[in-house]
């Protein structure tokens, strides 16, 4: 018989701040940094093409800073979820890779922000860094999807899911 206890532990929150069963807050919190950083990159492109680059360069700086603050919150929530995954499993290794890529992406965006200090335009290296950070987030996001949709980390059990797929009376 297969021991399902590790799988069960990975589905339930380790802490109340991680979100209730079946509704992890990490999945919600990632929306802010991703949205802010994608928007910052759009502002970068507009700034390069616009005669009024300063306003879009400022907007991109603000969005990167907001993304970094949001990423800190998402990281804490993700760490709580990761800590409930059993050691020595493919899910735990995938989660570690996901976490490392996200931390590198945060560092890349922090570097991009540092390059923008006191600039009224978007420095080329800062824009390249931001697009590199988005590339890292894309790979990391794929791994996060694998954690949830392939390995079922913090996803409700099939029994719970089946309740929603039963015909209504």
């Amino acid at each position: 018989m297969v021991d399902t206890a590790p799988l069960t532990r990975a589905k339930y929150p380790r802490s109340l701040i991680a979100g209730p069963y079946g509704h992890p807050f990490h999945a919600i919190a990632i929306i802010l940094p991703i949205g802010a950083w994608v928007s910052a990159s759009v502002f970068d492109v507009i700034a390069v093409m616009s005669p009024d680059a300063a306003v879009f360069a400022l907007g991109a700086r603000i969005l990167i800073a907001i993304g970094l603050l949001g990423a800190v919150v998402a990281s804490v929530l993700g760490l709580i979820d990761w800590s409930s995954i059993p050691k020595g499993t493919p899910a735990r290794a995938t989660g570690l890779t996901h976490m490392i890529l996200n931390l590198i992406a945060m560092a890349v965006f922090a570097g991009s922000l540092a390059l923008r200090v006191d600039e009224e335009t978007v420095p080329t290296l800062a824009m390249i860094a931001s697009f590199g950070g988005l590339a890292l987030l894309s790979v990391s996001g794929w791994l996060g999807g694998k954690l949830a949709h392939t390995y079922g980390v913090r996803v409700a059990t099939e029994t719970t899911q089946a309740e929603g797929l039963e015909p209504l009376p």
Side-chain angles (χ1 to χ4, degrees):
M1 177 150 190
V2 176
D3 180 16
T4 59
L7 178 61
T8 301
R9 275 195 315 273
K11 291 183 171 298
Y12 285 86
R14 185 173 179 133
S15 166
L16 289 176
I17 65 168
Y21 168 74
H23 295 279
F25 290 156
H26 175 69
I28 297 166
I30 63 170
I31 294 168
L32 177 68
I34 292 171
W37 291 336
V38 168
S39 298
S41 295
V42 170
F43 274 33
D44 283 348
V45 172
I46 294 170
V48 169
M49 298 170 55
S50 172
D52 189 17
V55 69
F56 292 103
L58 174 61
R61 280 197 309 271
I62 292 169
L63 286 165
I64 290 171
I66 289 169
L68 286 167
L69 292 173
V72 170
V73 173
S75 296
V76 169
L77 295 171
L79 183 62
I80 293 169
D81 287 347
W82 177 77
S83 70
S84 70
I85 303 171
K87 294 178 181 170
T89 62
R92 180 118 173 163
T94 300
L96 181 62
T97 304
H98 172 71
M99 182 183 347
I100 290 169
L101 287 174
N102 283 329
L103 291 172
I104 294 169
M106 288 171 67
V108 167
F109 278 105
S112 177
L113 183 60
L115 290 168
R116 298 163 187 266
V117 174
D118 297 328
E119 294 288 331
E120 290 195 16
T121 61
V122 178
T124 302
L125 187 56
M127 187 160 59
I128 291 169
S130 289
F131 280 103
L134 291 179
L136 286 167
L137 286 178
S138 296
V139 174
S140 177
W142 182 82
L143 291 173
K146 184 175 183 178
L147 284 167
H149 302 293
T150 301
Y151 296 138
V153 174
R154 290 292 313 221
V155 175
T157 64
E158 288 182 5
T159 304
T160 303
Q161 293 171 11
E163 293 171 9
L165 299 173
E166 295 291 324
L168 291 171

